[in-house]
Amino acid sequence: MRVIETVSEMHAARVNMAGPVAVVPTLGGLHAGHEALMHAARARAGSVIATLFLNPTQFGQNEDLAEYPADRERDLEVMRNAGVDIVFAPPVDEMYPEGDTFVVEPGPIGAVLEGEDRPGHMRAVATVVAKLFNATRPDLAYFGEKDAQQLEVVRRMSRDLRFGIEVVPVPTVRDERNLALSSRHSYLTEPERSAAEVVYASLCAARDLWDGGQRSAPELESAIRDVIASERLATLCYAVVVDPETFEPHKEPGAVSHALALIAVTIGSTRLIDNLRLG
Ligand code: AMP
């Protein structure tokens, strides 16, 4: 496994890579969810590039950039064991050189939910992913369904900006308590970790109602809110049931065959997101 830190070296290495070439972008702080992405890429691609870049622009002023639990040596070991060929791990000024001004604006899908709670976040994600795509020039790009809105933003960017990259979704990896794995779990105390079980439980409450025929978004959302309200350590940021393609509220109870329930919750000071497909 080779570690590359500059775009020019990455471009030079890319010329000789066996195709199709897959990329797996990560912030570091790797866990079994990231490993699932790398394994899926390894199973299909001729070459696998993983990126290790703690992108500062996608963190808000009061967010956890400074304490983000990334450990470079450990992360490189995880990537090596997952069969990654090249790690692209640029320093910040390689991705944001002085005078850099261009951004990628996702439009309406980037303005709701995560985009509303974390202003500028989805624009920053789209912009850095575009840069990583241009640095690595992949045929395939692997993203987790855990970050469902991010996945849709990247899918649309690839389509709308004609990147010609196939964005491949990978199902959410959960722990034995059904908590969707996240680098941020290392912040949770044991009582908070137990409290975090309400996140998935609340989504399951909506799914149970859906399976029983309930199609009203307000009813489904209120079921999610009730479960979260039962846990004193949990504070709800949002709970919504949306159209999985547009992320707009799902409106026509009679017509839809599927929807997506999404939730963001803070447990103590840790913000967690999760989602579950309905139907
Ligand atoms: P991050 O390092 O948090 O930006 O995540 C890098 C990639 O891993 C993103 O595509 C995430 O959606 C994906 N990912 C993170 N957690 C999980 C998980 N529990 N299951 C599957 N994919 C995940």
Side-chain angles (χ1 to χ4, degrees), residues 25 44 104-106 109-110 122 125-127 129-130 133 139-171 243-247 258 260 262 275 277:
R44 180 167 163 204
V104 178
E105 181 54 60
I109 195 170
M122 283 298 167
V125 166
T127 302
V129 171
F133 281 178
D139 304 300
L140 310 167
Y142 286 75
F143 283 84
E145 289 179 351
K146 149 128 189 311
D147 300 278
Q149 190 180 3
Q150 166 176 286
L151 169 64
E152 196 54 31
V153 163
V154 172
R155 212 198 312 250
R156 280 164 180 251
M157 176 179 76
S158 183
R159 182 195 70 190
D160 293 357
L161 298 184
R162 308 290 193 265
F163 274 99
I165 296 166
E166 183 189 342
V167 177
V168 184
V170 177
D243 176 312
E245 276 84 49
T246 61
F247 279 70
H258 60 295
L260 186 64
L262 296 135
N275 65 84
R277 247 178 292 185

Side-chain angles (χ1 to χ4, degrees), residues 108-130:
I109 195 170
V112 294
L113 307 178
E114 289 302 287
E116 194 173 339
D117 273 18
R118 305 177 71 190
H121 175 71
M122 283 298 167
R123 181 194 305 126
V125 166
T127 302
V128 77
V129 171

Side-chain angles (χ1 to χ4, degrees), residues 4 16 20 65 72 82 122 146 148 152 157 159 161 171 216 220 229 238 240 243 250 256 264 273:
I4 292 179
N16 299 315
L65 175 63
R72 186 178 160 104
M122 283 298 167
K146 149 128 189 311
E152 196 54 31
M157 176 179 76
R159 182 195 70 190
L161 298 184
S216 152
L220 295 162
Y238 60 75
V240 292
D243 176 312
H250 114 99
V256 289
I273 60 171

Side-chain angles (χ1 to χ4, degrees), residues 25-28 31 33-34 37 68 142-144 146-147 150 171-173 180-181:
T26 81
L27 297 172
H31 52 65
H34 299 105
L37 269 61
Y68 202 78
Y142 286 75
F143 283 84
K146 149 128 189 311
D147 300 278
Q150 166 176 286
T172 301
V173 177
L181 293 184

Side-chain angles (χ1 to χ4, degrees), residues 16-231:
N16 299 315
M17 292 178 79
V21 172
V23 71
V24 182
T26 81
L27 297 172
L30 302 186
H31 52 65
H34 299 105
E35 288 177 71
L37 269 61
M38 294 187 268
H39 289 146
R42 183 73 278 169
R44 180 167 163 204
S47 308
V48 178
I49 304 170
T51 73
L52 189 56
F53 181 60
L54 187 54
N55 176 38
T57 66
Q58 72 190 68
F59 288 78
Q61 292 240 307
N62 302 316
E63 293 184 4
D64 55 339
L65 175 63
E67 71 256 52
Y68 202 78
D71 171 344
R72 186 178 160 104
E73 288 317 310
R74 192 189 157 274
D75 289 338
L76 290 176
E77 194 53 33
V78 171
M79 288 173 167
R80 188 175 292 113
N81 291 337
V84 167
D85 298 301
I86 288 186
V87 180
F88 179 57
V92 171
D93 59 1
E94 182 69 10
M95 297 304 278
Y96 300 102
E98 221 181 297
D100 169 289
T101 58
F102 276 66
V103 294
V104 178
E105 181 54 60
I109 195 170
V112 294
L113 307 178
E114 289 302 287
E116 194 173 339
D117 273 18
R118 305 177 71 190
H121 175 71
M122 283 298 167
R123 181 194 305 126
V125 166
T127 302
V128 77
V129 171
K131 287 175 186 248
L132 293 170
F133 281 178
N134 284 330
T136 58
R137 299 178 176 160
D139 304 300
L140 310 167
Y142 286 75
F143 283 84
E145 289 179 351
K146 149 128 189 311
D147 300 278
Q149 190 180 3
Q150 166 176 286
L151 169 64
E152 196 54 31
V153 163
V154 172
R155 212 198 312 250
R156 280 164 180 251
M157 176 179 76
S158 183
R159 182 195 70 190
D160 293 357
L161 298 184
R162 308 290 193 265
F163 274 99
I165 296 166
E166 183 189 342
V167 177
V168 184
V170 177
T172 301
V173 177
R174 299 177 182 280
D175 70 8
E176 62 289 349
R177 304 182 199 178
N178 276 324
L179 201 51
L181 293 184
S182 162
S183 308
R184 294 189 163 97
H185 285 178
S186 62
Y187 304 149
L188 298 174
T189 62
E190 188 43 45
E192 288 173 343
R193 208 169 251 261
S194 296
E197 289 177 38
V198 286
V199 175
Y200 185 70
S202 72
L203 293 171
C204 289
R207 189 177 58 189
D208 290 347
L209 281 179
W210 178 281
D211 290 345
Q214 179 59 264
R215 293 292 180 273
S216 152
E219 292 294 329
L220 295 162
E221 290 164 2
S222 128
I224 299 175
R225 277 199 301 272
D226 287 350
V227 177
I228 297 299
S230 71
E231 173 50 65

